[in-house]
Amino acid sequence: MRILKSFRFWLPVGFLLVMLSASFVIPAIYPELLEPGPPYLKDDSGRVIADPPYTMEEMPPLGSDKLGRNLFYLLLSGAKYTLLSAMVIALLRMVGGFSFGIVYAFLPDWARQMIKGVGDTFNFIPLAIIAFVLLTPLQLAFEAGAMYSFRFLMIEIVVIAIIVIPSLGMYIGEEMKEYLKNDFVTVSKQIGASRYYINKRHLRPQFSRHALVMFSEQISQTLYLLIQLGVLHICLGGLKTEEFGIMEHIPEYFSYTNEWAATMSINIQMVFLHTWLVLTPLAFFAVSIFCINEISRFLKEVLLEDTLPVGKDETPSNKPVPSSRLEDPFTFKNRSKEEFH
Amino acid sequence: MFLLRKFNVIGLPIQFLLTCIGLFLFSGAGSLLAYDTELVIMLGKYLQTLQEMGREMLQPGSIIIKIGDPMDYKSYPIYPLFFQLFGYSFSLLLLAFFLAAVTSSLVSYLFMFLPKKIYQICFRLLDSLDSLPDVLIIVFIQLFIVWFFKKTDILLFDIYTLGDEKIYLLPIICLAIMPIAFLTKHFLFQLREEEEKPYVEYSYSKGFSKAYTVWVHLFRNVWIHFYYHIKPIFLLMLSNLLIIEILFNINGFMNVLLDVSSNTPSAFFIGMLMIYIPFFIVFTLGAISLKKWLSGEEVSS
């Protein structure tokens, strides 16, 4: 309950909520804002002074894309796809990861070793490549017109969620196994507690707090991954190529959803020409990731370290991680978000 | 205890084999998902791909890799090319890694002398640096160099590769930035904890300066923790290497691996092994030596 009263929690959450609701409301009320703007701009004496993409002065507030559509509204309407997909992906990952983790924690040692061996595979291939390998055939099918954008989006969400579940589940399982070594769990086992009971009584209260923090960390990791996939031209909702050249062959990518990573990805070739088209979506990403990181940091302080930074000269987040795990530094124990990249 | 150790000795090769099998199984995954009117999981085609890969792996020298546009690609034999690219890409990775290690320890050392208030602010800034996506940082650096070039006519670094030339400096810097932030943060965590221990006080009371104490005594103890972060950092850098090679238009190993991942699964498998095996050796040796060292220290103290 302390969480819900805090300003530090509501500020970033509120910001994201406003952005999300604006992303639904504005395209619904003002569909004309997303229409292509004028094909060229004239000054007072009738001379043509600009053609798309317009700069920020020519089309406030953030300029336009190649079709003359207002970039700000474009990104705003794409926000729902990016943010909601990231949340759904994170949610699926948590559900899958925890189911995997519970099974993993109760497995016999040899089975755990087997899973560890195979699961380590996923640690050595960058996630972006894993997603790329699995999604490229589908992207080709999408370009050929075999499916709707929304269906492709759904498949992408599921695939991006699934590829993280083995390593996440292994991490959660290891943590659970460590936790089950506590004396009170051993005692409770000895007096005959069933697995179900241990789950309910010991694991759930402990790990539901962890889960909240992890959920919000997963959202920001998903956003990082979406950017990387954008660089590889795998975008939520798919990209299509359209012929832009009149006499010659100039294929240009365009996206159905106007999702942020897609908007960045279709313009990345022109980063030196139209810098703004690349930097703006990235800035949107950065701001959202910052908000989500703030939320995770706050949740961590309140839920895991159990101290509110009131009147303390050192914030609890500055406290080092416990260094009690000196046995084997090269297996994953102290996982941080960087490892899921 | 003895049994456990024995299990570990046997377990290690098994784990290695399992991971290799995992890599093998994953390499064919490109043919697993397909779409005609419904999403279909093509187990038959997948098994066929695996079979083909197995056949090709018997004569690894004859594998041909295709690079570039699917429409107009160039074919190369796997043998010299893969190894040349591997050398280049991983020298970038290693150099960036050393740069990150040196810079982050220097930066965290200097941080320790900041007054508390400024330290807090700097730490907070460092923490927020995490929110900047790597792509954004790279694009910023590229743009800065172009801007600087336009203003002063001095091209600081080559920002783009054309043809066969190789660039080193800029990709290394870009690759090192994220690990520097990550490592510095963790070093500072550890230094903070270490600072509260009694021997630090003792050193001060003996009249040693703060600079000496932090550098000689604190850092010696913090460096151990460095090992804990080697694996996550390498993995982080591996995925960043891919992005950097694409953004700088470098024909590097990761770039080719990406190309190959969709059309030549056997080459992809070999590429993955080339990444995995050195890592495995380094991590295993590191773990063994550290374990010996730590347990030896315990006995002597």
Side-chain angles (χ1 to χ4, degrees):
Chain A
M1 281 309 100
R2 272 185 307 179
I3 298 174
L4 296 181
K5 280 183 195 151
S6 173
F7 184 63
R8 271 185 62 200
F9 178 72
W10 280 112
L11 194 69
V13 170
F15 179 79
L16 292 175
L17 283 180
V18 166
M19 188 141 68
L20 262 181
S21 38
S23 153
F24 280 103
V25 170
I26 285 183
I29 300 181
Y30 307 108
E32 73 274 7
L33 282 178
L34 291 177
E35 297 289 309
Y40 47 83
L41 290 181
K42 288 178 179 173
D43 65 357
D44 293 338
S45 56
R47 276 179 306 163
V48 176
I49 49 168
D51 62 335
Y54 300 122
T55 59
M56 280 194 279
E57 293 84 43
E58 288 155 4
M59 191 180 257
L62 291 175
S64 81
D65 73 347
K66 280 169 287 189
L67 296 172
R69 295 179 296 177
N70 193 317
L71 191 63
F72 178 72
Y73 295 115
L74 212 62
L75 289 174
L76 202 59
S77 76
K80 53 179 176 283
Y81 293 103
T82 311
L83 292 177
L84 284 182
S85 310
M87 283 177 203
V88 174
I89 290 170
L91 196 69
L92 287 176
R93 283 179 179 181
M94 296 307 292
V95 172
F98 269 90
S99 335
F100 193 108
I102 288 176
V103 174
Y104 183 86
F106 288 107
L107 279 178
D109 259 341
W110 62 267
R112 249 202 306 262
Q113 288 275 338
M114 298 278 279
I115 294 180
K116 232 190 242 169
V118 180
D120 209 24
T121 310
F122 288 95
N123 290 326
F124 284 93
I125 317 174
L127 273 183
I129 291 190
I130 300 181
F132 180 81
V133 169
L134 290 171
L135 290 173
T136 305
L138 302 181
Q139 165 76 30
L140 294 177
F142 175 77
E143 272 177 41
M147 68 183 124
Y148 297 118
S149 172
F150 193 70
R151 179 173 282 179
F152 187 40
L153 178 76
M154 287 297 154
I155 298 173
E156 280 179 306
I157 286 177
V158 173
V159 170
I160 294 175
I162 284 178
I163 54 177
V164 180
I165 287 176
S167 36
L168 188 66
M170 265 161 54
Y171 164 66
I172 294 172
E174 287 287 329
E175 292 275 301
M176 282 182 171
K177 202 187 80 183
E178 285 298 309
Y179 187 74
L180 289 177
K181 281 182 188 161
N182 275 322
D183 285 341
F184 50 85
V185 184
T186 326
V187 169
S188 130
K189 259 190 213 157
Q190 269 167 356
I191 54 178
S194 66
R195 267 180 199 178
Y196 173 73
Y197 185 81
I198 289 178
N199 263 333
K200 199 176 106 190
R201 266 288 130 98
H202 297 301
L203 288 180
R204 212 166 63 196
Q206 167 75 6
F207 281 91
S208 55
R209 294 183 297 154
H210 278 270
L212 256 178
V213 176
M214 275 165 112
F215 175 60
S216 100
E217 281 174 352
Q218 284 296 324
I219 296 178
S220 61
Q221 279 162 39
T222 309
L223 290 177
Y224 284 116
L225 183 63
L226 289 182
I227 300 174
Q228 295 200 337
L229 283 175
V231 174
L232 307 182
H233 286 302
I234 299 280
C235 297
L236 293 173
L239 291 177
K240 284 220 173 187
T241 44
E242 189 96 321
E243 205 54 55
F244 261 61
I246 299 165
M247 300 301 281
E248 72 268 68
H249 177 70
I250 311 176
E252 290 271 14
Y253 282 109
F254 80 99
S255 157
Y256 271 114
T257 55
N258 299 320
E259 183 257 326
W260 297 345
T263 312
M264 187 260 316
S265 141
I266 55 185
N267 295 310
I268 198 136
Q269 305 300 342
M270 310 194 297
V271 61
F272 296 116
L273 269 173
H274 310 297
T275 312
W276 214 239
L277 286 179
V278 181
L279 284 189
T280 320
L282 283 174
F284 270 66
F285 265 114
V287 171
S288 320
I289 291 175
F290 180 74
C291 285
I292 291 161
N293 282 351
E294 280 304 303
I295 297 169
S296 342
R297 201 169 294 145
F298 175 73
L299 287 178
K300 212 187 250 169
E301 279 171 26
V302 175
L303 294 174
L304 301 187
E305 287 154 25
D306 228 39
T307 39
L308 264 182
V310 193
K312 272 191 154 190
D313 51 359
E314 190 188 358
T315 56
S317 67
N318 280 14
K319 271 190 192 149
V321 283
S323 55
S324 56
R325 292 153 164 174
L326 273 172
E327 307 92 48
D328 185 0
F330 294 97
T331 52
F332 285 124
K333 281 185 177 169
N334 266 318
R335 266 206 189 249
S336 66
K337 70 182 192 61
E338 274 75 8
E339 292 161 54
F340 291 114
H341 264 283
Chain B
M1 198 59 210
F2 176 72
L3 254 174
L4 201 81
R5 203 163 283 163
K6 201 170 165 189
F7 184 73
N8 258 341
V9 171
I10 308 169
L12 215 56
I14 291 180
Q15 211 150 0
F16 175 75
L17 264 181
L18 281 173
T19 308
C20 289
I21 293 172
L23 288 174
F24 183 74
L25 292 180
F26 176 75
S27 305
S31 53
L32 197 56
L33 295 183
Y35 199 95
D36 38 18
T37 54
E38 273 298 313
L39 179 70
V40 272
I41 296 173
M42 313 249 282
L43 262 184
K45 198 178 158 203
Y46 174 62
L47 290 177
Q48 202 185 333
T49 313
L50 287 185
Q51 218 169 28
E52 246 167 65
M53 275 172 61
R55 227 191 345 267
E56 281 176 43
M57 287 306 293
L58 294 177
Q59 293 164 305
S62 63
I63 299 171
I64 300 291
I65 44 180
K66 304 178 188 118
I67 297 175
D69 237 303
M71 291 303 171
D72 108 274
Y73 56 80
K74 291 177 186 146
S75 305
Y76 297 93
I78 193 168
Y79 168 59
L81 184 81
F82 241 45
F83 288 84
Q84 282 160 7
L85 294 177
F86 184 82
Y88 174 50
S89 283
F90 278 78
S91 56
L92 288 184
L93 194 77
L94 278 178
L95 288 171
F97 179 74
F98 286 119
L99 179 68
V102 171
T103 317
S104 59
S105 50
L106 271 179
V107 169
S108 49
Y109 176 63
L110 292 177
F111 255 54
M112 291 305 284
F113 297 100
L114 291 176
K116 193 138 196 169
K117 272 266 152 27
I118 302 174
Y119 174 88
Q120 295 271 323
I121 296 168
C122 288
F123 192 85
R124 201 72 185 79
L125 278 178
L126 195 70
D127 221 14
S128 324
L129 195 67
D130 262 359
S131 311
L132 294 182
D134 36 4
V135 178
L136 185 64
I137 295 175
I138 297 165
V139 170
F140 256 134
I141 293 177
Q142 284 184 328
L143 287 171
F144 171 76
I145 286 165
V146 171
W147 173 83
F148 195 82
F149 178 62
K150 277 183 186 159
K151 286 275 171 216
T152 61
D153 234 16
I154 303 168
L155 189 58
L156 290 176
F157 311 104
D158 281 330
I159 51 165
Y160 222 56
T161 52
L162 297 166
D164 279 340
E165 58 185 305
K166 286 176 177 162
I167 56 171
Y168 280 92
L169 206 50
L170 205 55
I172 289 175
I173 292 173
C174 288
L175 200 51
I177 284 178
M178 300 288 274
I180 288 175
F182 176 78
L183 272 176
T184 310
K185 226 165 65 183
H186 282 271
F187 276 159
L188 285 173
F189 273 147
Q190 241 72 50
L191 283 170
R192 267 301 154 84
E193 185 176 62
E194 207 69 29
E195 209 184 17
E196 284 160 19
K197 290 190 175 162
Y199 74 87
V200 179
E201 202 107 321
Y202 179 65
S203 165
Y204 287 154
S205 66
K206 272 185 88 172
F208 291 128
S209 67
K210 185 165 187 183
Y212 171 81
T213 311
V214 171
W215 187 247
V216 176
H217 292 289
L218 284 182
F219 250 93
R220 199 162 54 194
N221 291 325
V222 168
W223 267 99
I224 297 177
H225 292 276
F226 179 67
Y227 286 100
Y228 289 87
H229 303 302
I230 285 186
K231 194 164 175 178
I233 282 175
F234 259 113
L235 302 178
L236 167 75
M237 288 172 82
L238 210 57
S239 63
N240 277 0
L241 184 63
L242 171 71
I243 299 301
I244 283 170
E245 287 186 359
I246 291 174
L247 288 183
F248 283 103
N249 199 24
I250 296 173
N251 278 322
F253 189 70
M254 299 304 280
N255 220 339
V256 170
L257 208 59
L258 191 74
D259 265 351
V260 143
S261 69
S262 50
N263 57 31
T264 327
S266 49
F268 183 67
F269 176 56
I270 293 175
M272 289 315 307
L273 281 184
M274 281 165 69
I275 294 177
Y276 173 62
I277 291 173
F279 274 62
F280 178 80
I281 293 170
V282 169
F283 291 148
T284 312
L285 287 181
I288 290 171
S289 61
L290 197 65
K291 217 182 265 180
K292 273 217 175 105
W293 184 45
L294 283 180
S295 59
E297 202 161 73
E298 265 163 35
V299 170
S300 67
S301 62

